[in-house]
């Protein structure tokens, strides 16, 4: 499994960019970018090199961790998947590209696209010293136009991107991303009810076009969760000193909530159930909320079932699990 923390090469590249910039200034910029997001805006306010760097310092560790957790879920179910080419739509500072490069040593071609000049320039600066990524191609342009021109890739990723696009446009974009996915498409969104709603709509749209779910769902049917519940996961990541300073945070870690779906062209065999919340461990039993091929189940594993109990103790929110008899 790939670590959720930024690879040292990327950390060093970010630190290198930070030299000559004031961390207080970066903190101010990052606070205003975060406020724009909270108010329902997007990354349009990221215009300068300093804005792009502030965004990357504050958010790249968390979006990287969420993409990595999603790719780990894919690898766990399809350990034989060895993509050669990647297409990163709405790549921003290149987060998903770095995560995919770590998760898949087989990747050789990396194509990124985004409309934001400042984020694109930062991404190219960050990969400049990387042996593996320095030759990426990065198209500047609106996603639909840029995607239409792009070559199909074995793996297509859209990380924290589809929320910045209107509903009608999003449907067209989803279809285009699917067309460009030779094998697999991963879409990651914030783990909010709205982020989940976008994931579930895209999932339904693409299943109707022949896609199959690899993760997190153990089935291609309708999502069994009903409002106000929603499917989301949590990934813990370490905060570096710069990360803490830019966020004005004390804790050395944070938990990123995210929703995701991995879709593929070929149907996957039997898929494991998915742990939908942190299981509750009591003296008599473990209670776990699982998404199973038959729907959502509150599974209880009694302590007296020693072997089952011991393995259920290791279950964590987001894990794929084979249910015991
Ligand atoms: C929140 S950022 C995420 C960046 C990156 N994928 C990550 O996970 O860190 C959203 C990105 O989507 C890009 N984006 C949003 N709408 C777009 C569009 N219509 N065409 C191209 N890029 C777009 C933005 O420019 C921005 O870089």
């Amino acid at each position: 499994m790939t670590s959720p923390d930024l690879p040292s090469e990327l950390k060093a590249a970010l630190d290198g960019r930070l030299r000559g910039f004031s961390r207080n200034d970066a903190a101010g910029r990052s606070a205003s970018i975060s406020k724009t997001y909270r108010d329902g805006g997007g990354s349009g306010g990221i215009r300068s090199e300093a804005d792009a760097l502030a965004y990357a310092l504050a958010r790249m560790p968390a979006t990287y961790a969420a993409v990595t957790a999603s790719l780990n879920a894919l690898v766990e179910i399809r350990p034989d998947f060895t993509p050669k080419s990647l297409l990163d739509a709405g790549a921003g500072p290149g987060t998903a590209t770095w995560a995919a490069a770590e998760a898949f040593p087989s990747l050789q071609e990396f194509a990124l696209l985004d409309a934001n000049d400042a984020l694109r320039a930062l991404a190219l600066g960050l990969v400049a010293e990387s042996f593996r990524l320095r030759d990426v191609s990065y198209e500047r342009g609106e996603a639909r136009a840029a995607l239409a021109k792009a070559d199909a890739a074995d793996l297509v990723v859209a990380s924290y991107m589809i929320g910045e696009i209107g509903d009608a446009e999003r449907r067209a974009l989803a279809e285009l991303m699917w067309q460009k996915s030779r094998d697999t498409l991963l879409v990651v969104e914030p783990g909010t009810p709205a982020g989940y709603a976008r994931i579930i709509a895209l999932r339904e749209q693409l299943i109707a076009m022949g896609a199959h779910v690899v993760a997190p769902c153990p089935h291609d049917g309708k999502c069994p969760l009903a409002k106000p519940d929603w499917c989301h996961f949590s990934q813990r990541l370490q905060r570096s000193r710069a990360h803490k300073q830019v966020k004005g945070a004390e804790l050395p870690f944070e938990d990123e909530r995210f929703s995701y779906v991995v879709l593929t062209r070929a149907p996957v065999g039997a898929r494991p159930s998915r742990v939908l919340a942190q299981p509750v461990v009591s003296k008599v039993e473990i209670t776990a909320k699982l998404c199973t091929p038959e729907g959502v189940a509150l599974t209880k594993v009694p302590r007296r079932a020693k072997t089952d109990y011991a393995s259920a103790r290791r279950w964590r929110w987001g894990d794929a699990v084979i249910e015991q008899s």
Side-chain angles (χ1 to χ4, degrees), residues 115-156:
N116 187 306
D117 279 328
L119 288 169
R120 177 178 178 276
L122 174 63
L124 292 174
L126 293 175
V127 297
E129 301 293 321
S130 162
F131 178 72
R132 186 106 184 273
L133 294 176
R134 67 185 172 211
D135 293 328
V136 299
S137 85
Y138 198 138
E139 183 73 19
R140 188 223 168 275
E142 279 302 310
R144 269 174 78 181
L147 264 169
K149 282 194 288 176
D151 288 336
D154 298 334
L155 175 62
V156 177

Side-chain angles (χ1 to χ4, degrees), residues 37 43 55 63 90-92 95 114-116 119 141-143 159-161 164:
Y37 272 107
S43 49
Y55 168 79
T63 58
T95 323
D114 202 291
N116 187 306
L119 288 169
E142 279 302 310
S159 150
Y160 289 77
M161 187 256 190
E164 297 202 4

Side-chain angles (χ1 to χ4, degrees), residues 171-239:
R171 281 189 68 81
L173 188 79
E175 185 171 341
L176 202 46
M177 289 196 295
W178 182 238
Q179 274 172 23
K180 297 291 174 176
S181 306
R182 231 181 262 135
D183 190 298
T184 295
L185 169 66
L186 164 65
V187 183
V188 188
E189 279 290 282
T192 57
Y196 158 75
R198 289 189 289 270
I199 292 284
I200 223 65
L202 176 140
R203 175 189 183 277
E204 216 172 284
Q205 178 192 347
L206 297 185
I207 286 173
M209 295 179 68
H212 302 276
V213 183
V214 179
C217 330
H219 58 82
D220 291 345
K222 196 173 160 0
C223 176
L225 292 180
K227 273 185 188 171
D229 203 356
W230 78 101
C231 181
H232 63 298
F233 303 96
S234 183
Q235 178 61 56
R236 178 153 295 184
L237 58 129
Q238 302 307 310
R239 285 176 170 151

